[in-house]
Amino acid sequence: MDNEKNESSGFDSGADRTVKKPSLSDGKSEWEENPHREHAERGIFDFDEKQTISGKFENPLAGVSKAKLLHEVERFCRDYDLMGNLEIMKKGALVAQSPLHFHEIEELSNEDIAILEREKSHKWNQPWILYWLTVMCAMGAATQGMDESVNNGAVAFYPKQLGIDKLNNATWIEGLVVGAPYLACALIGCWLNEPLNYFLARRGTIFVSCFFAAWASIWEAFTYSWGQLFAARFVLGLGIGAKSSTIPVYSAECAPAPIRGALVMQWQVWTAFGIMLGNIMGVAFYSLGPDVGWRVMLGSSFVPPLFVMVQVFFCPESPRWLIQNHKVQKAYRSFRRIRNTELEASRDLFYTYVGVEIERKVNKGKNFFTKLWELFSVPRNRRATVATWMIMFGQQFCGVNVIAYYSTTIFVQSGYTHPQALLFSMGTGILNWVFALPAFFTIDTFGRRFLLLVTFPFLCITLLWTGMSFFLSLHSTKRTAMITTGMYLYEVFYSPGMGPVPFSYSAESFPIQVRDVGMASATAVLWAFNFILSFTWPALVEAFKPQGAFGWYAAWCAILWFLTLIIFPETKELTLEELDAVFSVPTRKQVARGLREPAYWVNKYVFRRDVRLPPLVDIQQLRGQRKEASQVGTV
């Protein structure tokens, strides 16, 4: 086993993808010899064809008899040359079937039970390589954030240095240059994610995307026209798009279940950290002068991706990706590196394998366009699509990247000098990161919908506060103080709400057969509106002044609050089947209930009346039914 754990770290290019996938029906079995018993029991890979389109997949091993389960484990080990691990694999499969009742599994020894108990009681006691992998993902997120925010300080200088301010339509050209990476993400980067992951695997995609990020950052520093800078930033977007789609997925596929949510949430936390770093670079390099300083600001973002490119060589490949490409032995070696024991690795290997095989069966005969059509043709999927697109759009049109990309310019317009503006811009980045730190506690404690309904009104108020402060006298300290306070308070309320919710919500809302296309489409929506915001802000300020520009995004925060109220179902701590039930509720019923909620809140929390508002879906009843169903046939 130690030799297996020291697996080579070279990228899986998919070159050996020609290996024939073993058939699940190879060889005779006791069920084939007794057809009546075969029809009486549900197999591991059997499912209701009518349910596949809506994604009703709970634990696929629930309801399978022990004899059939152990038979399939033996077949699995024989097909993939793992017979030396047969006994531990059987134990792992039994635990995967009953993860909450492992004490009742007679095949487990006292030592096995102690291992599983320790996994729950000491959930942060993980192999060092898992934490190395987590640090690598965090550095990738920081790269993302820094790529976005270093332009904040630089844009205060390069329009003049490159002669953009003397051109016709200068404000539109400035917006085009600032938004170039996000245009590339929306048009190309997000859609490159699937082919890059198919041919280069997760680690290879991360390496390539960071290579583009590092190369484009250096290119930005050595541009001498707005066209060159636009091209460099467009290439930067190719790396941003693939990286933003791959790293959260890679982290989720490698993390153990007890801490998966917390590790995946690190993407948002360390993206905020990268945004802070980008703002710090603006302060650090301002003294180099107007011609050199902005170049070093943009070029400084080449450092974090270099660390990621080195780190990724020492990380294991995603076991799920390896199983999807029929490299089961390599997947087992990967699991052994990121799990404490063989029992945990065997359990996760077999469970992942079954999930992948069911997903493969569900998606048989479907192509990209078929899945894209199912996002809209299936009512359950359509409601998930509307909700995720709305929240991805909302993360941009709540106005956050006005501050992330233009806060230095805004502070200069408010009356600060350039050095002061850079310093106060750094403050927005620090607040964004500090208040993102507790996000992985609040999002599962209070729920996605609750956080949005609470924070949107404050985002609206702080944007109006900031915009209306521009009516004060230009040379008044009250003006600068009011604008600074408004922008700082905005970051305080953004980070625990609209910061973590969109990516988490989008990743969990789609059923498995359309999840890849659904997530790609949601990410493309985010980057498309990111580009629109960054492209139009200079012209918006020129046409409507800062007061009207901030008022525009404040209005959108009010609209988004109302949309959240009526069409945004809660997904906190819901399983796949429960999500299916939630998104199967007709939209008219969601809207009707949402419209009744404000009156319910007033009666309950203001007038203290004993009122009830029945839920759209009785989750507790659904869980009780599922528990009964899971006990059928397990003996």
Side-chain angles (χ1 to χ4, degrees), residues 251-530:
S251 178
E253 291 177 343
C254 292
I259 59 173
R260 181 173 297 129
L263 294 189
V264 174
M265 276 298 303
Q266 296 305 307
W267 172 260
Q268 176 62 31
V269 173
W270 294 100
T271 297
F273 178 78
I275 290 173
M276 180 186 72
L277 279 183
N279 288 322
I280 291 174
M281 294 303 103
V283 175
F285 298 120
Y286 170 78
S287 60
L288 295 179
D291 185 47
V292 177
W294 69 269
R295 297 180 183 278
V296 181
M297 291 176 199
L298 293 177
S300 65
S301 62
F302 93 98
V303 177
L306 294 183
F307 284 102
V308 179
M309 290 165 68
V310 173
Q311 287 176 294
V312 75
F313 274 101
F314 300 96
C315 292
E317 184 52 79
S318 160
R320 183 178 179 84
W321 185 92
L322 291 168
I323 291 172
Q324 285 175 323
N325 290 274
H326 314 304
K327 302 178 181 182
V328 175
Q329 288 196 28
K330 285 187 176 182
Y332 184 63
R333 292 197 291 271
S334 283
F335 269 130
R336 283 294 290 119
R337 296 181 68 194
I338 55 179
R339 298 293 184 268
N340 283 313
T341 65
E342 284 188 80
L343 177 61
E344 293 165 287
S346 299
R347 173 200 62 197
D348 292 349
L349 177 75
F350 188 72
Y351 188 83
T352 304
Y353 165 75
V354 171
V356 167
E357 287 302 311
I358 291 177
E359 185 175 345
R360 202 191 309 275
K361 193 172 182 180
V362 168
N363 287 324
K364 184 177 181 180
K366 295 182 180 179
N367 56 33
F368 173 84
F369 297 102
T370 305
K371 296 179 188 178
L372 189 63
W373 170 246
E374 285 187 3
L375 287 181
F376 304 96
S377 62
V378 180
R380 179 259 185 266
N381 297 346
R382 183 169 60 249
R383 295 184 191 99
T385 301
V386 169
T388 54
W389 284 22
M390 184 272 286
I391 199 60
M392 287 299 206
F393 160 80
Q395 191 184 59
Q396 300 309 308
F397 267 54
C398 73
V400 63
N401 285 326
V402 167
I403 298 174
Y405 303 159
Y406 290 104
S407 63
T408 301
T409 303
I410 293 168
F411 280 130
V412 169
Q413 292 170 342
S414 73
Y416 286 117
T417 64
H418 271 103
Q420 291 173 329
L422 288 167
L423 191 62
F424 281 100
S425 287
M426 184 176 69
T428 64
I430 292 172
L431 285 171
N432 186 20
W433 180 57
V434 169
F435 283 89
L437 289 173
F440 59 84
F441 296 114
T442 58
I443 194 170
D444 285 322
T445 302
F446 298 108
R448 290 79 166 130
R449 188 171 182 267
F450 176 85
L451 289 174
L452 297 183
L453 290 173
V454 168
T455 56
F456 266 134
F458 290 101
L459 298 184
C460 179
I461 291 168
T462 52
L463 287 174
L464 284 174
W465 176 331
T466 303
M468 297 307 104
S469 298
F470 278 90
F471 281 116
L472 298 173
S473 174
L474 177 61
H475 301 291
S476 169
T477 56
K478 292 181 180 179
R479 171 183 167 121
T480 54
M482 290 287 286
I483 292 171
T484 304
T485 303
M487 291 174 69
Y488 280 11
L489 286 175
Y490 178 92
E491 294 289 356
V492 168
F493 289 108
Y494 167 82
S495 293
M498 280 303 291
V501 168
F503 271 96
S504 298
Y505 191 90
S506 300
E508 65 194 4
S509 296
F510 293 104
I512 59 174
Q513 71 276 9
V514 294
R515 185 171 297 151
D516 52 348
V517 174
M519 190 61 187
S521 68
T523 308
V525 167
L526 179 137
W527 290 119
F529 285 100
N530 191 321

Side-chain angles (χ1 to χ4, degrees), residues 515-587:
R515 185 171 297 151
D516 52 348
V517 174
M519 190 61 187
S521 68
T523 308
V525 167
L526 179 137
W527 290 119
F529 285 100
N530 191 321
F531 166 72
I532 291 172
L533 178 145
S534 55
F535 175 56
T536 59
W537 177 255
L540 197 64
V541 172
E542 184 178 65
F544 298 104
K545 306 305 178 188
Q547 297 91 324
F550 277 101
W552 165 256
Y553 287 110
W556 272 110
C557 287
I559 294 170
L560 287 163
W561 182 89
F562 181 72
L563 291 175
T564 301
L565 182 71
I566 63 173
I567 63 169
F568 194 80
E570 180 58 75
T571 60
K572 182 187 75 167
E573 296 179 347
L574 299 184
T575 63
L576 290 174
E577 186 179 25
E578 291 161 1
L579 285 170
D580 184 82
V582 167
F583 282 111
S584 294
V585 174
T587 302

Side-chain angles (χ1 to χ4, degrees), residues 195-242:
L196 284 175
N197 275 272
Y198 181 82
F199 290 107
L200 301 178
R202 306 287 188 243
R203 294 187 311 146
T205 301
I206 294 169
F207 180 91
V208 169
S209 64
C210 286
F211 173 79
F212 273 99
W215 171 51
S217 296
I218 296 173
W219 185 7
E220 284 181 290
F222 292 95
T223 53
Y224 297 92
S225 70
W226 76 264
Q228 292 176 357
L229 185 57
F230 170 82
R233 289 181 59 75
F234 191 89
V235 171
L236 178 67
L238 300 180
I240 291 176

